[in-house]
Amino acid sequence: MGILDRSPVTTRSSDTETDAGENRPPAVRLDDVSHEYRLASGRFRSGQSRSLQALRDVSLDVQPGTIVGIKGPSGSGKSTLLHAVSGLLVPTSGTVSLLGIDLTELGDRRRAQVRRRHVGIVFQGFHLLPSLSARANVALPLVGAGVGRTERRTRATELLDAVGLGERTTHLPGELSGGECQRVAIARALVTDPDVIVADEPTGELDTKTGETVLDLLTELGRNRAVLVASHDATTLSVADRVLSLHDGQVVERDR
Ligand code: ADP
Ligand code: MG
């Protein structure tokens, strides 16, 4: 068992009320989630503010050990859904729970805490800090978690090894290829050993071959975590156990 795996019995969430066992809540649960973005630009003549409905009554359960694919054309609400799951936005209505914790009831600070502890996020554009080495980028989430420097380095080095970048730890993002940057981003998402991994079009900027390496990694991660992966690419979606299709913010199909 490699460092990317985690044993199902080691879920160490001190936030969950339930004991480890059959009654554990789903890793991710959405109930009737709708989201309206309020548009800053102007108001209608009637005085009503303009808004855009990005999600409509989306419900979803994801158990640990499951990869759920989210597909849909551009603008269908995939990123909004993943932002709601990771607590980066609070939906206008409905509830989002992680390991039984209702994020929509929490204040900003506490919600950010839950996100840092339980969620690893992989973005399409990698979002690495250009002036930090691969290792420092991977170690960064541990700074906020109060982990000491030596342990941060050790953990980041182990993870870079695990994603095949053991020889690149001191490289800057600008000195790495797109596929390597995405693997650094995946290592960073894993460094806190999160229960939930959210990946927003993780292969969007990669060629087929490097995309495959990233998909192999995601499949491996999915073994004992809940993984949500948004994509409109069939190969990427093929790693999912279930696929949910969005159109105009609404679930139009659930297959598998
Ligand atoms: P996808 O990821 O499937 O391309 P998004 O979730 O990014 O879709 O967007 C869903 C809809 O919400 C789109 O119509 C988009 O233009 C709109 N949208 C996304 N983010 C914002 C925002 N911050 N403010 C206003 N509208 C937004
Ligand atoms: Mg998107």
Side-chain angles (χ1 to χ4, degrees), residues 18-41:
T18 42
D19 291 322
E22 297 84 48
N23 294 331
R24 236 188 285 153
V28 178
R29 182 179 175 132
L30 272 64
D31 283 298
D32 293 327
V33 168
S34 295
H35 189 65
E36 242 175 72
Y37 285 109
R38 221 149 262 203
L39 302 180
S41 55

Side-chain angles (χ1 to χ4, degrees), residues 78-79 200-201:
K78 302 182 296 297
S79 296
D200 198 354
E201 311 212 22

Side-chain angles (χ1 to χ4, degrees), residues 29-72:
R29 182 179 175 132
L30 272 64
D31 283 298
D32 293 327
V33 168
S34 295
H35 189 65
E36 242 175 72
Y37 285 109
R38 221 149 262 203
L39 302 180
S41 55
R43 289 168 173 267
F44 289 127
R45 275 194 203 120
S46 62
Q48 276 181 311
S49 58
R50 297 166 62 222
S51 62
L52 188 144
Q53 181 104 34
L55 292 176
R56 299 163 203 264
D57 291 327
V58 177
S59 295
L60 171 70
D61 261 16
V62 189
Q63 297 295 341
T66 314
I67 304 180
V68 173
I70 316 282
K71 79 172 178 184

Side-chain angles (χ1 to χ4, degrees), residues 71-167:
K71 79 172 178 184
S74 179
S76 58
K78 302 182 296 297
S79 296
T80 305
L81 180 65
L82 296 187
H83 287 177
V85 168
S86 32
L88 290 169
L89 71 76
V90 180
T92 326
S93 65
T95 56
V96 177
S97 303
L98 294 187
L99 307 139
I101 309 163
D102 182 354
L103 293 184
T104 58
E105 281 192 337
L106 304 179
D108 291 351
R109 228 182 118 105
R110 179 82 183 104
R111 202 173 57 252
Q113 252 173 18
V114 173
R115 176 176 70 250
R116 280 198 290 268
R117 182 178 302 179
H118 296 295
V119 188
I121 308 177
V122 180
F123 298 98
Q124 173 174 5
F126 321 136
H127 291 219
L128 300 175
L129 293 182
S131 61
L132 295 185
S133 69
R135 184 173 59 204
N137 266 289
V138 173
L140 202 55
L142 295 177
V143 176
V147 176
R149 186 183 161 88
T150 313
E151 198 188 328
R152 292 201 302 264
R153 279 194 156 204
T154 309
R155 179 104 184 114
T157 307
E158 281 171 359
L159 277 164
L160 283 169
D161 251 338
V163 299
L165 293 175
E167 310 282 295

